[in-house]
Amino acid sequence: MTNPPTRWQLAGEDNRGYGRHFAELRASGSDIEGEARLADALAPRGARVLDVGSGMGRVAAALVARGHEVVATEPDAALRAQSRATYPDLAVLPHEALDLDPVDVGVFDLVVVVGNVMVFLGEDTERQVLRRLRSLLAPGGRILAGFELRGPKSGSRVYPAEDFLADAAASGLTATWRFGSYELHGPNDDYAVWVLEAGHDRRPSG
């Protein structure tokens, strides 16, 4: 069965600025590891980590450098090429989120889905993707998700916090924490960072 096109695919060349932007930040010495620092704090030492939509590889590479076993996945061929050029030792699978099967890739202590991946999924596939990510969690595993709530990027959707919480709940996930940044600022109306768990009754902070 063929997956529906993602919003990222439909935006086409309008999204090429993403790779250029982070290449420029890296070349300038700017901090591009905020997501990785939080992911590292959420994971046990030497954890199995899945980076869904790994882009140019910056988060996955930073987690490898911190001693984790990382599986990176990026369906965009241009971003995979950039990742190979920037981090040649980082292996990247071409899978979309819906193509990830625990039989093939195993299960993970932490699944990372940041960089606005959630607002670029195919239309009406959010719950499917969240259920798939839940199936990839090891016992006690968690999901770190982050995206812009107002959908300002070319081709992305507006994804209000209440809609995301409803989709997570319908997928068997609970948001145990919500922040406004990867430095753990309080929740705001522009950006949300979520920590999700399976089979947990605790309500999100904020």
Side-chain angles (χ1 to χ4, degrees), residues 151-176:
K153 305 298 183 184
S154 176
S156 68
R157 65 162 290 186
V158 175
Y159 203 174
E162 57 270 24
D163 290 356
F164 178 74
L165 287 172
D167 289 343
S171 306
L173 294 162
T174 297
T176 52

Side-chain angles (χ1 to χ4, degrees), residues 122-163:
E123 186 173 359
D124 296 326
T125 65
E126 290 85 359
R127 294 187 180 188
Q128 290 175 265
V129 168
L130 288 168
R131 285 193 292 269
R132 181 58 55 90
L133 298 185
R134 183 181 186 275
S135 77
L136 294 164
L137 293 177
R142 295 187 283 185
I143 297 170
L144 173 64
F147 54 89
E148 296 187 54
L149 299 169
R150 299 180 187 272
K153 305 298 183 184
S154 176
S156 68
R157 65 162 290 186
V158 175
Y159 203 174
E162 57 270 24
D163 290 356

Side-chain angles (χ1 to χ4, degrees), residues 5-126:
T6 65
R7 293 179 177 88
W8 181 270
Q9 290 171 320
L10 294 174
E13 291 301 312
D14 287 346
N15 283 322
R16 291 301 155 221
Y18 167 85
R20 291 192 297 269
H21 172 66
F22 280 105
E24 291 167 0
L25 288 177
R26 183 175 184 270
S28 71
S30 297
D31 176 24
I32 57 172
E33 296 188 0
E35 299 99 323
R37 284 194 298 274
L38 180 54
D40 179 55
L42 291 170
R45 298 306 84 196
R48 290 203 83 224
V49 180
L50 174 66
D51 185 2
V52 179
S54 57
M56 54 87 76
R58 60 191 177 86
V59 176
L63 289 169
V64 169
R66 287 164 168 80
H68 299 292
E69 178 189 346
V70 181
V71 174
T73 71
E74 176 50 63
D76 187 298
L79 289 175
R80 288 200 307 276
Q82 182 179 356
S83 183
R84 286 193 299 270
T86 309
Y87 306 105
D89 295 330
L90 178 67
V92 182
L93 300 176
H95 298 53
E96 292 185 16
L98 289 173
D99 294 327
L100 294 168
D101 189 326
V103 173
D104 298 325
V105 298
V107 294
F108 298 87
D109 302 298
L110 183 68
V111 172
V112 177
V113 53
V114 297
N116 284 317
V117 170
M118 290 300 303
V119 295
F120 280 106
L121 298 176
E123 186 173 359
D124 296 326
T125 65
E126 290 85 359

